[in-house]
Amino acid sequence: MFGVLLANKRRERRLSQLELAAASGVSQRHLSFLESGRSAPGRKALVQIIDALLLSKPESDQFLAAAGMVLQRLPLDWCAPGLAGVRSTIALMLAKHDPYPALACDRAGKILATSNGFDRALGAARLDRADWTNLYDLTLHSDGLAAHMINPEAIVPHTLYRLRMAATMDAGAAQTLQRVVRFPVVRDQRLTPNVAGSDGVLVERYRLDDHDIALISVTAAFGSPEDEIAQQVQIEMFFPADEVTREFLER
């Protein structure tokens, strides 16, 4: 993956391997090995290449993630006075999404805020929101939503893929990943490739309060790509995938 990304970005900049080698100080032979996948980049060489390609911060983050390197991020202090505007905006977004479930969390899965619809859905699963502080624990633990999944073969690989991507950028997410891979539902399902339907849309199906409900989630990051702290906040909103689910959530 990194080799393809490097080759594509080099061509976008209209540079030959020889020209990039001269600009970066990384040998042409090593660049060739990187692009073919025969070698993995070290951090020093990667920084030299990023500088030579004049990559933006989002592009640099993409390079580091593709190389499997955890990025060093400024810590997110959700209660900091400087994030008051972020908190109030997210609270408004979650309230407007009611009665459907929605939440905000950081990359490691720490739950920062929830909608009333989210809390009600957990209540229908006989789960207390106060008992769960991490979205990945809530989703994958046997005492959480894993016990209510109808299609874990789709939900679990998708959830793990999302967490693994976050783990390349966030040390806290890497710690969460180390924890949840030991959960039984993950051991049973993590190698299953079926993550979405034929239309490419993942429908999460759960049995809640004797009802089979179907949800489609939309995840977005808060803040601009340059806002390193606010970008750590992710907003997940769930929408009903069928009429039965809509009626269940709106009643």
Side-chain angles (χ1 to χ4, degrees):
M1 179 179 176
F2 173 79
V4 174
L5 182 64
L6 172 59
N8 289 342
K9 192 60 64 176
R10 175 178 59 77
R11 295 187 185 105
E12 285 180 16
R13 298 296 194 266
R14 300 182 181 278
L15 295 172
S16 67
Q17 286 185 348
L18 183 60
E19 289 170 327
L20 180 56
S24 66
V26 178
S27 72
Q28 181 183 5
R29 182 171 183 269
H30 189 44
L31 288 173
S32 176
F33 279 20
L34 291 176
E35 290 189 3
S36 67
R38 286 189 288 174
S39 293
R43 184 172 289 273
K44 180 180 178 181
L46 189 55
V47 170
Q48 292 174 253
I49 293 169
I50 287 172
D51 288 344
L53 291 173
L54 302 177
L55 299 183
S56 66
K57 186 176 185 306
E59 289 174 324
S60 299
D61 287 354
Q62 185 182 25
F63 259 55
L64 288 166
M69 298 184 184
V70 175
L71 309 185
Q72 299 301 315
R73 300 285 185 179
L74 293 175
L76 172 66
D77 182 359
W78 179 243
C79 297
L83 288 182
V86 173
R87 291 193 299 272
S88 61
T89 301
I90 289 178
L92 179 61
M93 293 174 66
L94 299 185
K96 290 293 185 181
H97 195 63
D98 211 40
Y100 304 139
L103 75 152
C105 65
D106 65 14
R107 286 195 178 96
K110 181 181 178 181
I111 298 174
L112 305 172
T114 59
S115 69
N116 291 333
F118 184 86
D119 296 342
R120 286 194 300 270
L122 289 191
R126 306 294 190 270
L127 298 173
D128 188 339
R129 163 69 183 88
D131 294 335
W132 300 94
T133 59
N134 186 284
L135 176 62
Y136 293 108
D137 289 335
L138 170 63
T139 303
L140 299 172
H141 197 279
S142 300
D143 293 333
L145 290 173
H148 301 269
M149 291 178 184
I150 296 175
N151 60 333
E153 73 282 355
I155 298 173
V156 174
H158 173 81
T159 304
L160 279 181
Y161 176 78
R162 172 180 165 182
L163 180 54
R164 285 192 176 110
M165 290 299 294
T168 66
M169 298 182 285
D170 186 275
Q175 292 176 354
T176 301
L177 178 62
Q178 290 178 354
R179 181 172 67 252
V180 303
V181 292
R182 297 194 291 266
F183 294 171
V185 71
V186 176
R187 292 201 304 267
D188 292 343
Q189 301 291 345
R190 62 179 168 176
L191 298 181
T192 305
N194 181 25
V195 300
S198 58
D199 57 0
V201 177
L202 170 66
V203 178
E204 300 183 27
R205 302 184 184 277
Y206 299 91
R207 182 73 173 172
L208 302 181
D209 197 20
D210 297 326
H211 290 77
D212 291 350
I213 69 166
L215 299 167
I216 296 174
S217 72
V218 175
T219 304
F222 191 88
S224 67
E226 293 77 20
D227 193 335
E228 188 170 318
I229 296 180
Q231 271 282 302
Q232 297 179 57
V233 181
Q234 298 180 339
I235 303 164
E236 186 159 7
M237 295 183 172
F238 294 88
F239 296 85
D242 55 34
E243 189 64 18
V244 172
T245 302
R246 185 190 66 79
E247 293 178 355
F248 174 79
L249 295 174
E250 293 182 0
R251 70 182 184 183

